[in-house]
Structures are given as structure tokens and as C-alpha cells.
Amino acid sequence: MITPISRAEIPPYRDEPRSPMRQFAFEAAMDFMSLAKNGDVCEVTGYPGEGSEGWLRAVQSLTAALNTELYHLGRRSDVRVFRRRGRVFMEMKEPLAAPARARNPWPGDLPKV
């Protein structure tokens, strides 16, 4: 028998808890999804390793963790995660508008197929 469930009810791959960076990324992604509207940009601060000697590795790890969590939430195509000068940003993408179709100025020009 088949029972439909939501994606959130699927158990995690492993029984181990998330790493501190992944847990922070999960919480940041959930906060961003609840706050952001189309076109909004937010800076991510307060992550583990911020301001430490290995800050570049922490920034790279955070960017990867945010992308992973957004992928698992099914929102990877809606949110852009990027970094600039050691800072991490999240942007809610604007939906793409369908291109307007131009009317054919010579409607009898082409044969109907």
C-alpha cells in the first residue's frame, strides 16, 4: 500500500546530528524563507568561525552548507547564496516573467502546418 507523505517527514540519511555549521545553515535558511520577499537580500552573520583565524574556510563552509540546506528544502532555485569580501549573502530571486510574444506583422506570410 502507498501512503503519501510530505518531504519534511522523510527521515535523515544518517542518525548523526548535523554539524554546528549545517545546523546554523538550516536555521538561517528557515529564517530567510520566512522573512524574505522577492528581490530581498540579507547578510548572514553570527556563523560558527566568524572572525576567527580560519574565517575564509568558515565562509566557504557556510556557503556550501546553505546551498545544501536550500537544496533539501526544495528552494535551491529560488534563493541565491553568494559571498563578497568575506561576507555571505542570501538573495530571494525574482520570478522570471514569460517573454512577451510579438505579433506577426505579416500573418499571411507563412503557410499553416
Side-chain angles (χ1 to χ4, degrees):
M1 178 165 268
I2 297 175
T3 306
I5 62 170
S6 71
R7 187 167 182 81
E9 294 177 25
I10 299 173
Y13 179 68
R14 300 186 303 185
D15 291 333
E16 300 171 11
R18 289 185 174 105
S19 68
M21 186 64 79
R22 283 284 301 272
Q23 184 62 36
F24 178 84
F26 174 75
E27 292 168 4
M30 295 302 285
D31 288 345
F32 182 76
M33 299 308 291
S34 66
L35 295 174
K37 297 175 186 63
N38 291 337
D40 285 354
V41 178
C42 296
E43 182 177 1
V44 182
T45 58
Y47 51 89
E50 182 179 22
S52 67
E53 189 173 308
W55 64 269
L56 181 58
R57 183 174 173 91
V59 166
Q60 292 169 338
S61 178
L62 175 62
T63 305
L66 284 169
N67 282 323
T68 301
E69 292 301 329
L70 290 167
Y71 171 80
H72 289 296
L73 290 171
R75 301 297 301 265
R76 180 66 189 101
S77 60
D78 300 335
V79 180
R80 177 178 173 224
V81 178
F82 59 101
R83 57 191 178 99
R84 298 285 187 276
R85 297 184 184 174
R87 297 164 63 188
V88 179
F89 302 94
M90 296 175 75
E91 175 185 17
M92 180 68 77
K93 295 180 185 175
E94 302 230 3
L96 295 175
R101 294 184 79 175
R103 267 189 84 210
N104 185 359
W106 302 282
D109 228 12
L110 301 173
K112 298 207 182 224
V113 179

